[in-house]
Each structure stands twice: as C-alpha cells, then as structure tokens.
C-alpha cells in the first residue's frame, strides 16, 4: 500500500475510496491562495509541467476549457498547480463534485461563487459586483458526477452569460452532457485530453529525479513507452523503485508484462480500485472477455460476448475514457492501453479460468473466417485447438512464415499434445507462435522437431515448407547470411514442388517469401542494387499471391531501399503502406511497423522536420517485443542522430554510448559505419580532432571506400584548416556517383564550404545552387541546417556584397550615423529594358531566395522581416515578371539575368 500512497500524493487524490460520502466538496479561494483554502494541496512529489501551464494561460481567453481524461492523468494536479502558482487572472472558485450529488450541485456551485467574491444574480446570471475589465476563473472538478439535467442546463446558461468575463475549467473523466459542439464551432472551447496530459519523456525524467531514482536513458525511454505516459502508472512504478538496488528490473518486468501483476509494484490494485470498480458492470465484462486480444473490433466483441452491439459498446468505452482508443483499419479496430490490458488478463485468469480457453477458440474462429491467419493461429494455440492450428498453418503457411516476427505478449497456454513429435505441421505452427512472442529458442526447437518427423527423405512440398521455415528462422535471428542462404534454397525447393501445391497461390507466395528475404539480406550488407532487383520480382509475386502480410513485408523492404537511395517521398509512401496494411489486419505492434516508423523518422529528419521525426521514432518502439538486436541498434542510432540534428550533443553522446560498447564486427555493416561517423562528428564538435580521425580510420578499415566516412573525413579536414584536402576528398566522392541523393546533396554543400574557404566564391555558389536544385524535389533540408549564414552570403546578389555606398549630393548634409548597428547599404534597383516596371533592390533579393528551398517564413527570418512583408515582395515580383508561380518567377528571373 505504500507505493499506492506515493502515487496518491503525486496525483493529489483524496484517497482510494472516500471514508465519508458527501454530495459535493466545495473549494474556493482568492488569488494567491492560502494553504487552508478550498483548492487541493499539491502532492509532495510535484512536477511543474510548464508546457501545460502555458496552455492554461492561453486557455483563459476562452469561456470553457475542458480537461478530459481517465483517472490518474493529473487533471486536478494541473489545475491546482496553475492556481497556486499565481497564474489565475483574478478571483478563483474551486468546486469538486462527488458521486450522486444530484440537485445539490447547483446550490453548492453558487455558494462557492459567493465565497470567492463573485456575486451572481440568480435571475439574470449577471456578475453584479465585477470591476471593469475584471476576469475570474471557476474550476469544476469531477463534473462527470453531475448527472442532473436541470443543473447541467443552468450551468450552460451561466457559461453563456458570463463566458466573456469568467473562464470555466471543466475537469472530467468523460465528456459531460453539455453543448460542447457549439463552443467548438464558435472557437470558444479549449480541450486538453489524454494525449496532451500524458507525460513526455522529459517529464518522466523529471519525476524520476524527484523520486531520486537514477535510470539510464534507454530505461527511462522504456518506462515512458510501456506506461504510454500515464502519469499514475509512472508515479506508481517510480515509487516502487525507491530504495531498490536494481530498479531497472521493474521496467524489464513491465516490458514482458509481469510487473503489472506484482503486488509489490501496486499497479494491479490501482487499476482495480480506480478504474474497474467504477465501470458499468456490462462494460467491465466486455473489457474482461476481450482483453485476451491484442486489438478488438465490433465483430470480435460479438463473437466473444454474444452481444449484437459491438460497435456501440466499443464507442461507449472510447467516449467513457475507459482507456480504449480507436486504432482504425477496415474492421474498426480498438486497443486497450498496455498496463490496463495486463491487469485485465490477470483478472480473466482469476475470475474466468474455465472460460479463457473457449474465448481463445472463439477468437481463432473469427480471425480464420475473416482471413487473418496470424492471429487465428495464435489464439488456436492459446486455446489448445491443435486441429485448427494445423489446418490454419497448412492453408496459410507462406503468409505465416513470410509475415515476419510479430510483437505478441507471451501467453501461458496449454502444453502441446503428447503426439507432437508425430505431427510436423503442428510443430511448425507452434514454431511460428514462438517466433511471434520472441521465443527464438522455442522456434528453433519446434522446427527441429518437425524436421525429424518428416524423416530423412521429405517430399517436395515438405522440403519447401522446411526451407521456408529456415528463412523465417534466419530473419527472426537477424542473421542475414542465414536467411539469404535459406532463401536461395527455398527458390529451388519451390520449383520442385510447383505441381504438388494444393492451393494455386502457394507457388507465387513461396517465391515472394524467398525474394523478399533475399532483398533483406542484400540491404543488410548495403547492396542496394541487388536488393532492388530482388524486390522488383518479390513485390509483384506478393501482390499476385493475394496475401496481405506478404505485401506488407515487400513494402517494408522497398521503403528501406528507397531511403538508402535518398528517394524520400517514395520511401515514406511505402512505409505508410506498411502501417496501413498492419492496421487493416489489426496488428498494433510488429517488427515491420517498427522499421516503417524508423523510415518515416529518417525521412522527416532529412527534411528538417525534427519534431515529426521524434514522434515516429517514439512510435517505433514495441513495448512487448523481445530483444531484437537489429531493431534496437537501428532505433538507438536513429535516436542519437536525431538528438545530434537538434544540437543536443550531450544527449546524442548518451544515446550512442551503448552502441560504442559493441564490437564493430557485431554491428550490421551500414549501422557500424553510421555509428563511427556520428562518434567522429561528436568528437569533432568537442575539439578532439585526432580522436575523430582515428575513429574514421577504424571505420574505413571496416568498410573501405564508404562515402559517408569520406565526407566525415572531409569535415575533419575543414576543422583542421585544410579545405583543399577536404575539397579533394569530396570531389572523389562525387566522382564515384553516390547511390544516395541525400549523400550527394550533403557532399555538394561540403564542397561549397571548402571552396568558399579557398576563396573560390563562384565555384562555391555553383555547388550550392546545384545542391538546392537536387534537394528541392525531395525537400531535403538537413545538409543545409547550420550553414545558413554563409549560404545566404553566397546567394546574395553581387551588388549587395561589393558595391560601395552611393555618394551623397553636395547640397545634402550627411545624417549623423546612429549608434549601434549601421543599416546595410542599398544597391541600386535592378532595371531591365524588357521589364515594364523595375524590381526594387529588396524585391531582387527576395527573388534570389525564391530559387532556394527556403519557405516564406525562413526567408523572412534570414531578412529579419515579417512573413507578411516577404509575401508582399513576392506578390510584387510576380506582378512585375508576369508570372503566378514561384517556379515560373525563378525561370523568368534567369531569362532576364536577374539571378
């Protein structure tokens, strides 16, 4: 109970269950309240959440602010923190409702208003004692307890009458039955919901520091992800870590789904008392029965509960904030939050032990009937329906084998039957189940068991299935050599078994599995040409076979291949198709989704969209997946690169540190190069040039002739004051025609930097212009970030840089030069006889920037003017040049030699 008490103190709760049930608790206070007024006390371990406090500052301008989230999301603490920090604009009344308050709610509300000095006329609802321009705030906490319709209608009239002078903060677990839509349409409503109130990673770090719990970065990241930012869960877990010698073990247990059932942590008790206990009994029963599912849809609700209103029940759970969120897809999937689902599964085992197996079997039947074999197989095995498991594997083995590892949580299902050694198809089916739950040893064991059952001379189809399973085993182990070798063998076995397939599409599907695996092996060693050749064949076969998850795998490999080529738009499109395909199948977490998110994060990073990149990177983590070396390396490296792009060099070094402990030979070749380059760049920024050079020399020995290493070496040469060596290095890279467009753009920018330092301004300008032209179609921005000042100098018109000030007429006395920074000298306007009206100096300068990839806002920043000023100049340029588009203006400017 001690850990739950700590969570209570953090969340500002008054207790697990009220000792005395009162209709309403009234809390009111003036500005700068005293500790004994009606506003709740702040918890002992309090985290000031500046981003949310700032949002409440802005929300005061609106009549209504709705804080709507389930219990434990810190609504009360946020409002209390905002009030007690003195941010309220004037008088403040705080009313906290209790269950079954009925009609007494209105009397208590008006009493609270009066106590806070807000006199409201009962007939007109006018604020009779308000001073001119005076504002006030009324906090209505736990408004979901108010169900009396008369009180709610009177509250609406009060808000309509006083909304211009009083801001009403509504705190509720679900949307109150008020006319919220009207306030939304009128722009009078500010909403802070679960996504806004969830902890960020930085806030998790801050709360851990408040508990004096020290965790490595990747453990803080894992805690944030597995709790999904749920403040109550974070507080409970951190409280359980206090005083422990190995607090990280609690997080490790959470990831595999065990700590939620540990009474020493306290999450189970919290969920039972604060969430499940307050749910409608029918709704709670639905949640219990469907908690065996990774995702749930209306059809599954009806199959598992017998109810005919599955869509209505799921929508009700979502609206009631019962920690169920809409996921999407063709079946309208929903998903429960991870920790809630773990507790619900424990409740099922405790309260419905006899029905759990039947629930799994019913789920398997629904999945099989709807063409979703992966989940059908998993639930058939969990329900001990071995005949169904064999049938599903035999019918769908190419898709099951080629779909790639899932991220299913481990299930304590029934033991395999005693005759498993004589049933190879069942052994192979269980091997797939082990792969999807991260049990690679179990997968290998079941494959060997089925292989022995086939005997020494298996038939053609049996040999084909066995070869395909060896491909899946290599992919699960992240062993590209093994998977590539097995894929070649699978192609040969498929040719031998072509005439024996029971289903016509099995041949194309088996070949698709082989070609996609060959592409993955080629990508892991950086052979993009070989990968694209294999993908051209594999993706077509996957589409022909009609197996959705094979198409997903092909799209995943295509996304990686296009990213390595620098074709960002196509890479992003393929990655989104992976996510959409998994969503249609109801798959919320898998290795394919993780890699697709990593691709999207890389695309956004190259485009300078760093916040969006961080979102995709955070979404790439699978909370329930087992240790996956390749994915872990890719995620850690991507996180370090993102922090480096955000100029958080200390954070980048911390994120990169675990990778530096790996042997270079243990990392995938492309990852090893990226780690070495980033490590060298960090050393370069810290001034350790010799160490950076040594790191690059070691990386060069790992992969001789790698262009990324060469560009990093050129950056070191520039830092050493040797731009000539840097220029020679970059020119060799460009002569080799890098495979990646991003790498080509980065090389162009680096060459321009070296040439500028050598005094070759025309050459530098030419390289920058070419880099901008190459970067434009794919919106590549990262190579230009941090180089804006000298690039701007190169792109400025020559007159701006070289012309002396025009002499003043003799009769005009010179004005005294003001103190501070002198105004820049203006060049004469550009005049061309083919123009009906000459461009001004400023318009010519804007035209120069229009040829770059800079947005209007970025041009305004460079020129130190507002975006509206730049837009005005652009309109004038368009009018004078007789064009209507940016591209046409640049073309016309070149024709007239203006740029």
């Amino acid at each position: 109970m001690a850990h739950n008490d700590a969570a209570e103190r953090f969340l500002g709760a008054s207790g697990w269950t009220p000792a005395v049930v009162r209709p309403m608790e009234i809390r009111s206070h003036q500005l700068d309240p005293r500790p004994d007024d009606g506003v709740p006390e702040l918890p002992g371990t309090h985290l000031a959440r500046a981003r949310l406090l700032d949002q409440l500052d802005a929300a005061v301008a609106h009549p209504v602010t709705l804080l709507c989230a389930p219990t434990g999301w810190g609504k009360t603490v946020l409002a209390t923190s905002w009030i007690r920090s003195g941010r309220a604009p004037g008088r403040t009344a705080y009313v906290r409702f209790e269950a079954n308050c009925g009609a007494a709610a209105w009397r208590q509300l008006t009493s609270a208003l009066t106590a806070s000095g807000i006199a409201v006329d009962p007939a007109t609802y006018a604020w009779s004692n308000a001073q001119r321009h005076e504002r006030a705030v009324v906090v209505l906490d736990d408004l979901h307890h108010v169900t009396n319709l008369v009180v709610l209608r009177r509250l609406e009239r009060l808000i309509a009458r006083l909304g211009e002078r009083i801001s009403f903060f509504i705190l509720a677990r679900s949307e109150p039955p008020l006319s919220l839509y009207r306030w939304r349409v009128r722009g009078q409503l500010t909403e802070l919901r679960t996504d806004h109130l969830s902890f960020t990673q930085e806030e998790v770090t801050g709360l851990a520091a408040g508990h004096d719990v020290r965790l490595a970065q990747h453990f803080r990241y894992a805690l944030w992800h597995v709790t999904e930012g749920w403040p109550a869960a974070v507080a409970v877990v951190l409280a359980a870590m206090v005083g422990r010698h190995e607090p990280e073990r609690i997080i490790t247990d959470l990831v595999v789904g065990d700590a939620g059932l540990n009474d020493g942590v306290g999450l189970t008790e919290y969920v039972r008392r604060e969430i499940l206990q307050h749910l409608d009994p029918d709704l709670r029963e639905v949640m219990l029965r469907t908690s065996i599912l990774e995702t749930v849809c209306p059809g599954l609700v009806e199959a598992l509960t017998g109810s005919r209103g599955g869509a209505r029940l799921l929508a009700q759970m979502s609206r009631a904030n019962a920690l169920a969120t809409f996921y999407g897809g063709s079946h309208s999937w929903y998903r429960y939050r991870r920790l809630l689902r773990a507790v619900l599964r424990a409740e099922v085992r405790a309260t419905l032990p006899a029905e759990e197996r039947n629930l799994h079997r019913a789920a398997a039947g629904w999945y099989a009937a709807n063409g979703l074999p992966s989940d059908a197989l998993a639930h058939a095995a969990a329900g001990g329906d071995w005949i169904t498991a064999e049938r599903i594997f035999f019918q769908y083995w190419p898709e099951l084998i080629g779909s790639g590892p899932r991220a299913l949580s481990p299930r304590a299902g029934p033991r395999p039957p005693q005759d498993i050694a004589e049933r190879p198809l069942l052994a192979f089916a269980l091997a797939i189940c082990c792969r999807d739950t991260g049990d690679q040893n179990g997968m290998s064991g079941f494959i060997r068991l089925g292989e022995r059952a086939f005997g020494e001379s298996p038939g053609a189809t049996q040999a084909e299935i066995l070869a395909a399973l060896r491909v899946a085993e290599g992919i699960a182990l992240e062993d590209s050599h093994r998977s590539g070798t097995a894929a070649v063998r699978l192609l040969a076995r498929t040719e031998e078994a072509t005439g024996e397939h029971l289903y016509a599409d099995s041949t194309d599907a088996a070949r698709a599995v082989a070609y996609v695996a060959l592409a993955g092996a080629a990508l892991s060693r950086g052979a993009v040409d070989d990968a694209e050749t294999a993908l051209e064949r594999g993706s077509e076969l996957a589409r022909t076979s009609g197996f959705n998850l094979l198409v997903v795998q092909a799209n995943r490999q295509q996304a990686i291949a296009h990213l390595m080529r620098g074709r960002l738009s196509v890479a992003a499109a393929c990655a989104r198709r992976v996510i959409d395909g998994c969503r249609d199948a109801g798959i919320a977490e898998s290795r394919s989704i993780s890699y697709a998110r990593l691709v999207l994060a890389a695309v956004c990073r190259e485009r300078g969209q760093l916040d969006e990149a961080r979102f995709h990177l955070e979404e790439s983590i699978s909370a329930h997946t087992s240790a996956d070396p390749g994915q872990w390396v890719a995620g850690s490296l991507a996180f370090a690169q993102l922090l480096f792009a955000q100029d958080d060099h200390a954070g980048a070094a911390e994120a990169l540190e675990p990778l530096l402990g790996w042997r270079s030979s243990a990392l995938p070749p492309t990852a090893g190069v990226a780690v070495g380059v980033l490590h060298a760049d960090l050393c370069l920024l810290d001034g350790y040039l010799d160490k950076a050079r040594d790191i690059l020399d070691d990386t060069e020995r790992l992969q001789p002739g790698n262009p990324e290493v060469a560009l990093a070496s050129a950056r070191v040469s520039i830092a050493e004051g040797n731009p000539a060596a840097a220029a020679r290095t970059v020119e060799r890279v460009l002569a080799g025609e890098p495979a990646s467009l991003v790498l080509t753009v980065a090389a162009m920018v680096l060459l321009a930097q070296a040439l500028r330092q050598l005094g070759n301004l025309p050459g530098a300008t030419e390289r920058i212009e070419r880099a901008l032209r190459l970067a434009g179609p794919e919106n590549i921005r990262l190579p230009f970030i941090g180089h804006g000042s000298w690039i701007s100098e190169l792109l400025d018109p020559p007159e701006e840089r070289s012309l002396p000030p025009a002499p003043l007429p003799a009769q005009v006395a010179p004005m005294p030069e003001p103190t501070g920074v002198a105004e820049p000298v203006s060049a004469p306007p550009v005049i061309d006889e083919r123009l009906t009206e000459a461009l001004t100096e400023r318009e010519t300068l804007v035209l120069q920037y229009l040829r770059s990839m800079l947005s209007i806002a970025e041009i305004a920043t460079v020129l130190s003017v507002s975006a509206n000023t730049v837009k005005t100049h652009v309109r004038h340029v368009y009018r004078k040049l007789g064009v209507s588009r940016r591209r046409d203006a640049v073309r016309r400017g070149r024709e007239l030699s203006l740029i």
Side-chain angles (χ1 to χ4, degrees):
M1 194 66 177
H3 303 313
N4 293 330
D5 291 340
E8 279 187 45
R9 290 195 298 273
F10 168 75
L11 296 168
S14 57
W16 292 101
T17 54
V20 179
V21 178
R22 297 186 299 271
M24 171 182 287
E25 185 177 352
I26 301 155
R27 301 167 181 247
S28 61
H29 73 91
Q30 305 289 337
L31 187 63
D32 192 18
R34 301 181 305 276
D36 58 349
D37 63 16
V39 179
E41 291 288 344
L42 282 173
T45 306
H46 171 57
L47 179 69
R49 308 177 71 183
R51 62 182 181 90
L52 295 178
L53 296 175
D54 291 341
Q55 291 187 53
L56 291 186
D57 288 343
V60 174
H62 294 159
V64 182
T65 299
L66 175 64
L67 283 73
C68 187
T71 182
W73 242 266
K75 303 181 292 294
T76 299
V77 170
L78 177 60
T80 301
S81 175
W82 183 78
I83 294 170
R84 290 193 174 274
S85 61
R87 291 174 177 252
R91 308 171 195 265
T92 305
Y94 198 106
V95 184
R96 190 168 190 177
F97 301 96
E98 296 289 349
N100 304 316
C101 54
W106 181 255
R107 294 194 300 272
Q108 300 296 343
L109 172 58
T110 56
S111 298
L113 293 173
T114 303
S116 64
I118 303 174
V120 177
D121 188 310
T124 64
Y125 298 127
W127 184 3
S128 58
N129 65 336
Q131 303 296 319
R132 186 177 183 183
H133 303 305
E134 183 179 3
R135 295 193 60 82
V137 174
V138 175
V139 180
L140 307 174
D141 199 353
D142 285 341
L143 188 64
H144 55 274
H145 288 317
V146 179
T147 56
N148 187 289
L149 295 180
V150 175
V151 173
L152 293 170
R153 298 292 80 81
R154 296 184 73 178
L155 177 59
E156 283 187 340
R157 289 196 292 271
L158 180 67
I159 295 174
R161 182 68 176 83
L162 298 179
E164 294 182 358
R165 305 289 299 276
I166 299 178
S167 183
F168 291 83
F169 285 10
I170 297 175
L171 283 57
R173 295 182 183 180
S174 58
E175 282 195 2
L178 300 173
S179 301
L180 298 177
Y181 67 94
R182 294 180 181 173
W183 296 325
R184 287 194 188 103
V185 171
R186 296 169 183 169
Q188 298 175 332
L189 176 65
T190 299
E191 297 183 72
L192 296 179
R193 295 184 176 268
T194 304
D195 292 340
H196 305 94
L197 298 172
S198 298
F199 270 175
T200 63
Q201 293 182 55
E202 292 75 13
E203 289 168 342
V204 170
T205 301
L207 189 60
H211 282 85
D212 197 25
V213 174
R214 294 176 175 83
L215 296 171
Q217 186 183 63
H218 58 284
F219 280 110
R220 298 195 304 267
Y221 197 91
L223 174 61
W224 169 83
H225 190 80
V226 75
T227 59
E228 299 177 88
W230 184 7
V234 174
V236 169
V237 173
L238 289 175
M241 292 180 179
V242 174
R244 295 208 179 193
H245 294 294
E246 292 181 305
E248 296 87 356
R249 294 189 61 181
I250 292 180
I251 300 177
T252 304
D253 291 341
L254 276 175
V255 169
V256 298
D258 293 337
L261 317 179
N262 187 341
D263 291 335
V265 175
L267 281 174
T268 301
E269 182 182 5
Y270 183 85
V271 171
R272 285 172 179 166
R273 294 200 178 197
E274 293 297 311
I275 297 178
L276 300 182
Q277 181 174 304
H278 300 286
L279 287 177
D280 177 83
D282 294 337
L283 205 59
R284 182 175 180 273
E285 185 72 11
V286 170
M287 294 180 67
L288 283 174
R289 290 178 174 274
T290 56
S291 65
I292 66 168
L293 309 169
E294 299 293 324
T295 52
V296 59
C297 67
L300 277 166
V301 170
E302 296 170 3
L304 270 62
T305 66
S307 169
R308 303 302 299 172
R312 176 185 55 81
L313 288 170
L314 288 173
Q316 182 181 349
M317 280 192 290
S318 181
R319 286 195 304 270
N321 272 328
L323 300 181
T325 57
F326 183 68
Y327 183 55
S330 57
H331 291 280
S332 297
W333 298 99
Y334 288 75
R335 58 175 292 270
Y336 300 125
R337 295 192 177 268
R338 298 182 184 95
L339 295 182
L340 172 67
R341 185 168 168 267
V343 175
L344 288 172
R345 287 202 308 270
E347 287 285 293
V348 169
R349 287 192 288 271
T351 60
L352 302 172
E355 295 186 45
E356 184 178 5
R357 180 175 297 191
N358 292 332
L359 290 174
H360 281 295
R361 293 188 175 193
W366 186 92
Y367 281 119
N370 285 272
L372 300 172
S374 179
D375 287 284
L377 177 61
H379 286 283
D385 189 351
W386 310 122
I387 294 176
T388 299
E390 285 178 309
R391 177 178 57 80
I392 291 172
F393 179 82
F394 180 69
Q395 184 174 354
Y396 294 101
W397 68 264
E399 183 175 17
L400 291 169
I401 292 174
S403 60
R406 295 277 298 275
L408 300 177
S409 53
R411 293 188 176 95
R415 295 176 60 85
Q418 295 181 353
D419 61 346
I420 181 69
E422 301 171 2
R423 301 169 69 174
L425 292 183
L426 178 58
F428 294 152
L430 295 179
I432 296 300
C433 293
C434 290
R435 178 201 63 182
D436 288 344
T437 56
D439 183 5
Q440 295 168 352
N441 291 330
M443 177 186 186
S444 299
F446 279 118
I447 290 176
R448 289 194 298 271
L449 188 63
E451 186 178 15
R452 285 198 297 269
F454 277 160
E456 296 182 357
S457 301
T461 303
Q462 294 173 334
E464 180 187 27
I465 293 175
L466 188 58
L469 283 165
R470 292 302 184 190
V471 171
E473 184 181 25
I475 293 174
L477 294 172
E478 294 273 325
D479 187 337
S480 59
H481 176 73
R482 180 187 296 190
S483 62
T485 303
V488 174
R489 190 181 305 115
L490 174 58
L491 286 174
R493 297 291 181 267
T494 302
E495 292 300 323
E496 297 171 0
T498 299
E500 298 183 14
H501 286 146
L502 182 62
Y503 301 100
D505 50 13
S506 296
T507 301
D508 287 342
R511 289 172 178 161
V513 171
Y515 280 115
V516 171
L518 286 172
L523 289 173
S524 67
R525 64 176 187 270
V528 186
D529 291 337
D530 294 343
E532 289 182 330
T533 301
L535 280 173
E536 184 177 359
R537 181 69 175 143
S539 59
E540 178 63 28
L541 288 169
R543 286 191 294 270
T544 303
S545 70
F547 290 123
N548 175 58
L549 294 185
L550 290 185
V551 176
V552 166
Q553 290 300 309
N555 281 324
R556 166 192 158 185
Q557 304 293 9
Q558 285 179 320
I560 298 173
H562 287 305
L563 179 65
M564 295 177 73
R565 288 292 194 195
R567 298 190 284 260
L568 304 186
S569 299
V570 184
C574 290
R576 292 191 181 95
R577 284 199 289 269
V578 170
I579 296 172
D580 291 342
C582 290
R583 184 180 290 115
D584 280 341
I587 299 173
E589 292 184 277
S590 71
R591 188 180 293 181
S592 296
I593 293 177
S594 296
Y595 276 108
R597 289 292 185 184
L598 288 174
V599 168
L600 290 172
V603 169
C604 292
R605 181 171 56 85
E606 295 296 344
R607 289 175 169 173
Q609 302 164 345
L610 302 185
D611 290 340
E612 188 74 9
R614 180 149 191 160
F615 164 77
H616 289 298
L617 188 57
E618 291 169 349
E619 290 292 311
S620 71
I621 304 300
S622 294
H624 291 311
T625 191
S626 62
D628 183 344
Q631 182 181 328
W632 179 82
V633 167
S636 300
L637 178 58
F639 188 44
Q641 290 172 330
L642 176 62
L643 292 175
F644 184 82
Q646 293 176 323
D647 291 329
D648 183 3
H649 301 147
E654 184 181 0
L656 191 66
E657 184 177 2
L659 296 178
L660 299 179
W662 284 48
R663 300 190 314 273
S664 298
S665 58
L667 291 170
T670 53
V673 169
V675 168
V677 168
L678 182 56
H679 190 197
D681 285 338
L682 288 168
C683 293
L684 181 62
L685 289 172
D686 288 338
Y688 300 112
L689 304 186
D690 292 340
K691 183 176 181 180
R693 183 69 72 185
D694 292 341
I695 292 170
L696 292 175
D697 290 343
D698 292 340
T699 309
E700 174 69 19
R701 285 191 288 272
L702 180 66
Q703 267 203 340
N706 187 281
E708 292 185 48
V709 179
L711 294 185
S713 178
R715 289 193 288 272
V716 176
S717 296
I718 289 178
E720 292 172 338
N722 191 356
R728 289 193 297 270
T729 301
V730 177
E731 285 172 346
R732 285 196 298 270
V733 170
L734 291 173
E737 298 182 355
S740 171
L741 177 62
V742 173
L743 206 60
T744 301
V745 171
M748 286 289 179
V749 173
L750 194 55
L751 181 57
Q753 185 179 8
L755 293 176
R756 175 179 172 273
Q757 292 186 9
L758 291 170
N760 185 358
L761 296 186
T765 303
E766 179 185 352
R767 290 338 187 267
I768 282 295
E769 289 178 343
R770 185 178 175 192
L772 290 169
R773 287 196 297 272
L774 291 173
E778 294 292 348
N779 200 19
I780 300 170
R781 293 172 178 258
L782 187 63
F784 302 94
I785 294 177
H787 304 292
S789 58
W790 62 267
I791 290 178
S792 298
E793 293 176 4
L794 292 177
L795 294 179
D796 281 343
E799 315 84 272
E800 188 75 12
R801 296 194 303 265
S802 59
L803 286 181
L808 292 171
Q811 65 273 24
V812 179
M815 295 290 292
E817 185 174 336
T819 59
V821 180
E823 291 292 326
V825 178
S826 297
V830 176
I831 303 175
D832 190 282
E833 59 184 8
R834 289 169 291 180
L835 288 176
T836 58
E837 186 178 353
L839 297 183
T840 66
E841 173 269 332
R842 208 62 171 173
E843 290 166 357
T844 304
L845 184 57
V846 169
L847 178 59
Q848 295 282 344
Y849 284 112
L850 287 179
R851 66 177 174 172
S852 72
M853 58 178 290
L854 299 177
S855 65
I856 295 296
E858 290 167 333
I859 295 174
T861 301
V862 172
L863 298 180
S864 300
V865 297
S866 69
N868 287 333
T869 300
V870 174
K871 290 178 182 178
T872 300
H873 288 315
V874 170
R875 285 197 298 270
H876 292 169
V877 169
Y878 286 179
R879 177 177 57 80
K880 293 179 181 181
L881 294 181
V883 298
S884 59
R885 295 188 305 175
R886 181 171 181 164
R887 183 179 300 176
D888 295 336
V890 173
R891 177 185 54 77
R892 181 64 173 156
R894 289 198 175 101
E895 291 175 355
L896 299 176
S897 301
L898 300 178
I899 54 177

